[in-house]
Amino acid sequence: MKIPSAPQKVTLNVTNRCNLICIYCAVSTTKNHPGDLNLVEWKRLIDELARIKVFNLVISGGEPFLRSDLDEILKRIFQYHFRISINTNGTIINRSAINLLADSNRVDNVQVSLDGPDERTHDRMRGQGSFKKMMEGVVQFMESGIPLSFNVVVHKINQNFLPHMVNLAKRIGVSRISFSPLSPQGGAIAHFDELRLDFEDEKDVEHCLKDLRRDHAGLVGGNMLETFDLMERISHSEPKGESVHEANWITSCGGSVSECAIRPEGGVIPCDRLWDYQVGNVREAPFQSIWLHSKGFERFRERYSKRMNSFEECLGCSFISVCRGGCPAVPYNLGKGIDGWDPFSCYMVYAGQKQGYV
């Protein structure tokens, strides 16, 4: 396949440091580890990303606002053409960084993590006092006119509070509240049995989210609803059999094709969900060289040359012509490799006609 000379989007995870203790922390394997790229190294990387025409940056972590030199990183970014988004837990107030973001007119979104509509639920997942501090941070961002959204990872503990969180979002005036499924990665793997939704839970959540989207048009969204919509479309499609020619290409993941991420110590990965799949390090080679020539990326991109019938679990499925392969991070993080089957994206599992391995 033909690979573009640069990705459209790169996520810069600028630090491993975090001030919270989230049970399902996606980056728990490196949380608070030393060795973050220093300011000079981040500036050098930003210069290269500008030169090779990357257009969008996502600033994340860890908690990015824990970097005392985040202002300087942002200033370097704003010397160039980039549009940016930021992922944050919202608890760290950096007034000068907020001012920089507000004055830049280049911020598409600041996404704040939300686990519940109140201290009881949110703090249970993230640590005592986190809800109060998060809400104080949200006020600071919104008073500065910065576009802000909530992201909710839906799990067993907060599944009954989804309408309450939407009401909170509407009341304070955020631009969007997105709902995401719990992913088996980082700290979530050890707690997956206690946090994951069972079959009936998922159906209840689907109906609830669709009702909330209908009642709050433009406010409620996220990839959990996108997956439910995809499953509904598949349910209305006409089964076409399982021949080689009818099996769809695996095209569901943009990692290593249109986007990738940089870990705090410089490791290059296809996306944040593949935190431990490192294909190179910007301390050892230029980013573009890694993007174009890394053996790890070449191996990952082989996935796109395969069809759905390369998954043993999909052989014989009547919907093999409409599925797109799901997320490679699910099988990889559970020890089944990047070529493994993703049961969370399988219509047959969604419909209760097949058992997943999770």
Side-chain angles (χ1 to χ4, degrees):
M1 65 183 301
K2 183 175 176 58
I3 301 301
S5 60
Q8 297 174 14
K9 180 176 75 174
V10 176
T11 298
L12 307 181
N13 295 287
V14 296
T15 184
N16 274 314
R17 295 173 60 208
C18 187
N19 58 316
L20 299 185
I21 51 171
C22 305
I23 292 175
Y24 59 84
C25 174
V27 297
S28 61
T29 56
T30 62
K31 180 185 172 184
N32 291 325
H33 284 198
D36 294 349
L37 296 181
N38 61 39
L39 180 60
V40 171
E41 291 172 314
W42 279 117
K43 285 182 175 180
R44 184 184 304 126
L45 176 61
I46 291 164
D47 292 344
E48 181 183 4
L49 298 180
R51 185 172 63 253
I52 66 176
K53 299 297 188 295
V54 171
F55 293 111
N56 298 294
L57 299 179
V58 179
I59 312 301
S60 192
E63 172 47 53
F65 285 94
L66 281 173
R67 278 198 74 120
S68 60
D69 57 2
L70 182 62
D71 295 16
E72 296 304 314
I73 293 175
L74 292 173
K75 287 176 183 177
R76 191 62 151 224
I77 289 171
F78 294 144
Q79 288 180 14
Y80 298 109
H81 56 271
F82 301 111
R83 303 289 305 181
I84 75 163
S85 299
I86 298 181
N87 298 332
T88 175
N89 62 40
T91 64
I92 306 295
I93 307 300
N94 181 330
R95 190 66 248 178
S96 57
I98 289 175
N99 290 339
L100 272 172
L101 295 170
D103 293 341
S104 72
N105 291 319
R106 301 255 216 95
V107 181
D108 291 328
N109 182 43
V110 172
Q111 178 179 277
V112 176
S113 302
L114 180 69
D115 264 300
D118 51 32
E119 293 182 2
R120 184 182 63 174
T121 311
H122 187 87
D123 289 7
R124 179 177 174 183
M125 301 303 297
R126 296 180 172 267
Q128 187 173 1
S130 58
F131 182 81
K132 182 176 182 294
K133 291 180 180 178
M134 179 272 293
M135 291 301 295
E136 291 170 353
V138 165
V139 169
Q140 294 267 355
F141 281 115
M142 297 193 66
E143 286 181 346
S144 299
I146 298 170
L148 187 137
S149 69
F150 283 140
N151 183 67
V152 179
V153 174
V154 181
H155 46 71
K156 196 81 171 180
I157 293 170
N158 67 9
Q159 63 173 325
N160 294 323
F161 301 103
L162 308 186
H164 304 79
M165 287 187 272
V166 171
N167 288 336
L168 173 66
K170 187 173 184 179
R171 186 173 74 250
I172 65 178
V174 302
S175 61
R176 189 169 178 82
I177 179 167
S178 298
F179 293 91
S180 303
L182 181 70
S183 175
Q185 66 182 110
I189 294 176
H191 298 278
F192 209 67
D193 287 343
E194 65 186 271
L195 293 177
R196 68 169 300 182
L197 303 178
D198 62 27
F199 183 81
E200 295 302 325
D201 291 335
E202 188 166 290
K203 298 309 171 193
D204 290 343
V205 166
E206 177 178 7
H207 295 144
C208 178
L209 289 181
K210 287 182 175 179
D211 287 346
L212 288 168
R213 180 175 59 183
R214 180 198 63 213
D215 296 341
H216 304 276
L219 177 64
V220 177
N223 54 20
M224 197 169 195
L225 271 165
E226 291 168 3
T227 299
F228 289 144
D229 291 343
L230 173 63
M231 296 303 167
E232 186 174 356
R233 290 195 299 273
I234 291 175
S235 72
H236 296 313
S237 64
E238 181 181 350
K240 295 184 178 179
E242 53 169 312
S243 76
V244 172
H245 299 295
E246 290 169 342
N248 202 4
W249 294 101
I250 299 173
T251 58
S252 57
C253 175
S256 82
V257 176
S258 61
E259 63 182 282
C260 70
I262 313 293
R263 288 176 30 148
E265 78 293 340
V268 182
I269 52 180
C271 84
D272 285 346
R273 296 182 71 181
L274 285 157
W275 194 253
D276 296 322
Y277 187 87
Q278 295 190 70
V279 302
N281 193 295
V282 296
R283 279 178 164 153
E284 300 168 0
F287 170 81
Q288 191 175 40
S289 176
I290 297 171
W291 173 256
L292 292 175
H293 306 299
S294 159
K295 295 298 182 184
F297 267 151
E298 288 180 7
R299 173 69 184 86
F300 191 84
R301 289 164 182 153
E302 290 176 5
R303 178 180 172 89
Y304 303 106
S305 65
K306 299 177 180 180
R307 292 181 182 267
M308 289 297 300
N309 55 11
S310 66
F311 297 134
E312 182 179 347
E313 296 87 348
C314 299
L315 295 176
C317 179
S318 299
F319 297 97
I320 201 169
S321 63
V322 290
C323 284
R324 298 175 56 229
C327 175
V330 173
Y332 181 79
N333 290 333
L334 294 174
K336 297 184 178 294
I338 55 172
D339 295 319
W341 169 65
D342 171 18
F344 295 151
S345 299
C346 174
Y347 174 75
M348 299 297 285
V349 173
Y350 163 83
Q353 301 175 33
K354 189 181 184 74
Q355 185 69 39
Y357 53 72
V358 183

